[in-house]
Amino acid sequence: ALLPTIMFLTLKPSPLPKILYLTLLPLHKWISRSIVLAALFHSIFYTIYFIKQDTLRTKLFKLANLYGVAAMGLFIIITISSLKMVRRSNYKCFYYLHYSLTWLVVILIHFHARPRVTGYTLLSVAILVYQRCYSIYHTTTITPTLTRVSPTLTMMEFPIVDISNKPILPSSHIRIILKSKNLWKRIFNHLIPLTHPFTLLNLPNETNAKLLIRNGNFPLLANSEYYIIGVYEPVINFISKQDKIGDYMVRSASVNSSLEPFQINTPQLRSSPLHFTIEARRVLIFVGGSAISFGLPLLSILNFNGVMVRLIWCVRDYKDLKLMGHLKMKYCQGLEVCISGQSPDPNDENIKIDYYDSEEIPSPSSSPSS
């Protein structure tokens, strides 16, 4: 009866309002552990009972009971593969086992249980099928351009229209996987999609989607096709988007005006795609490394809407600062950078970051900040 519950908790995006699916994973883990523990006690106690009744041999080889023994074995495999040590050492193995064995467990328990659990089985299958259908429906194919930002970072760009649903809030994310040239591998990837999440670095109103990817295990191949799934909106409880000015007035009436003393109020700025309803006066953001993808769009939106914001970006390699030269993003007041790695090599070329908070070209007499 708990199997549909643990599957519901893994749905992406979560059907529950204002809940990010990642926040439900701890609950998913603990309910799963309770199921495995209950199944283990169930198996032990029935084995002891059969031994005392001297019916172990006849009961054990009963087909319905063999389904139960097999399900218990799969539960143990899922549990072992889910241990942090195993999961982190080989995430691909963990994911494939976790996903495929879940299907087998649902089927085996259906034929093992007495009385029948047809309703729970149908509900479990419906959730699993819905998750696959949702993922396939929101999957599109892109051929992105790759730009080497620094020795550790690469930027991937593609038109925003290639995403199945356009992002609404800043710092949304998508899931991406390299499209295999082998037909059977592509089918397998649709059935068991081992995708990688990346946060959109661009603002919601920009025409190009940008992903900042750390050079490593994720395949970065020029002129290759990728599958993308999404967008998945973030859960930032103090930011909301209102499309109509009338809705904005109703929304603002419920918010304490003392929280928004400097936020924009003119109709022209409220009609901007960068306008959001912000229920905060001061925001402090800490990010590290490639997580600047989450911080920068949020920083720009908060600055545009008149919120006092400070973003502290911690990097190991000072060459990652070249990212700011590639982006030329506006409304970045309040950005501070802390470099935790080695000091810059005096023989390296200077990293010049030209930043102007204006669409106009600055006059030659003005000196750019760096």
Side-chain angles (χ1 to χ4, degrees):
L2 287 175
L3 284 177
T5 304
I6 64 171
M7 294 171 190
F8 178 83
L9 292 173
T10 61
L11 288 176
K12 300 189 289 286
S14 174
L16 301 177
K18 294 187 177 182
I19 296 292
L20 185 65
Y21 66 90
L22 291 173
T23 61
L24 299 175
L25 288 185
L27 188 59
H28 163 80
K29 291 178 182 177
W30 281 105
I31 295 178
S32 300
R33 290 164 184 165
S34 68
I35 291 176
V36 174
L37 194 61
L40 184 61
F41 284 141
H42 168 86
S43 302
I44 291 173
F45 291 153
Y46 263 105
T47 302
I48 294 173
Y49 175 76
F50 292 150
I51 291 174
K52 288 185 175 181
Q53 296 294 319
D54 197 22
T55 57
L56 180 63
R57 181 174 297 180
T58 56
K59 294 288 187 180
L60 184 61
F61 290 100
K62 221 177 154 179
L63 187 58
N65 289 338
L66 285 177
Y67 289 140
V69 172
M72 186 68 248
L74 296 183
F75 270 138
I76 293 174
I77 295 174
I78 292 174
T79 303
I80 294 174
S81 65
S82 300
L83 296 175
K84 184 183 292 186
M85 183 188 309
V86 179
R87 187 177 70 248
R88 291 190 174 182
S89 62
N90 195 333
Y91 184 83
K92 184 180 292 188
C93 177
F94 151 76
Y95 188 85
Y96 288 148
L97 284 176
H98 206 79
Y99 204 91
S100 58
L101 297 187
T102 298
W103 274 97
L104 290 176
V105 164
V106 171
I107 296 171
L108 289 171
I109 290 180
H110 173 75
F111 290 108
H112 167 71
R114 282 97 68 192
R116 291 299 179 192
V117 288
T118 306
Y120 295 120
T121 301
L122 292 176
L123 187 56
S124 298
V125 171
I127 293 173
L128 290 171
V129 171
Y130 166 78
Q131 192 169 30
R132 286 292 80 245
C133 291
Y134 180 92
S135 176
I136 293 172
Y137 178 77
H138 288 278
T139 297
T140 56
T141 304
I142 61 168
T143 305
T145 59
L146 302 175
T147 304
R148 187 79 171 224
V149 175
S150 72
T152 57
L153 295 176
T154 296
M155 186 185 298
M156 177 182 288
E157 293 186 64
F158 54 91
I160 200 77
V161 295
D162 290 346
I163 303 177
S164 65
N165 49 323
K166 189 177 179 181
I168 299 174
L169 297 177
S171 306
S172 302
H173 77 273
I174 63 172
R175 305 189 72 89
I176 186 168
I177 185 175
L178 180 67
K179 181 179 178 181
S180 175
K181 295 181 180 179
N182 185 289
L183 175 62
W184 295 110
K185 283 186 178 180
R186 292 203 298 270
I187 295 174
F188 180 78
N189 288 334
H190 281 303
L191 295 177
I192 307 180
L194 182 57
T195 54
H196 196 296
F198 287 106
T199 304
L200 291 170
L201 184 56
N202 55 285
L203 294 174
N205 66 318
E206 292 182 326
T207 56
N208 275 355
K210 300 182 181 73
L211 306 177
L212 189 63
I213 301 175
R214 182 163 295 280
N215 302 328
N217 296 328
F218 186 80
L220 294 169
L221 304 177
N223 302 319
S224 296
E225 292 185 323
Y226 290 79
Y227 286 130
I228 58 171
I229 308 173
V231 168
Y232 298 96
E233 297 289 345
V235 176
I236 308 174
N237 291 324
F238 58 87
I239 294 182
S240 60
K241 184 68 174 176
Q242 303 296 330
D243 295 329
K244 300 178 182 178
I245 293 181
D247 292 340
Y248 169 83
M249 298 302 292
V250 173
R251 176 69 168 162
S252 297
S254 64
V255 179
N256 188 349
S257 60
S258 64
L259 294 178
E260 309 177 11
F262 304 110
Q263 292 187 28
I264 58 178
N265 292 309
T266 64
Q268 292 81 5
L269 291 178
R270 289 208 306 268
S271 63
S272 169
L274 296 182
H275 172 254
F276 290 80
T277 302
I278 314 292
E279 298 181 23
R281 185 167 59 184
R282 292 192 297 268
V283 177
L284 177 61
I285 308 169
F286 285 90
V287 294
S290 59
I292 189 67
S293 299
F294 179 86
L296 269 183
L298 197 55
L299 174 72
S300 299
I301 292 297
L302 293 173
N303 269 320
F304 178 85
N305 288 276
V307 177
M308 299 172 62
V309 57
R310 184 181 178 192
L311 170 61
I312 299 177
W313 180 26
C314 300
V315 296
R316 294 177 181 172
D317 190 344
Y318 72 97
K319 295 179 182 177
D320 290 349
L321 301 185
K322 291 181 179 179
L323 171 68
M324 301 305 297
H326 285 275
L327 292 176
K328 299 187 182 299
M329 188 175 283
K330 298 187 297 179
Y331 315 116
C332 287
Q333 301 97 324
L335 172 63
E336 299 181 18
V337 182
C338 298
I339 303 172
S340 61
Q342 296 180 350
S343 300
D345 188 342
N347 296 324
D348 287 346
E349 296 181 0
N350 293 330
I351 298 178
K352 296 182 180 179
I353 303 172
D354 293 336
Y355 164 69
Y356 307 105
D357 193 21
S358 173
E359 294 182 357
E360 299 178 357
I361 300 175
S363 63
S365 59
S366 62
S367 59
S369 59
S370 59

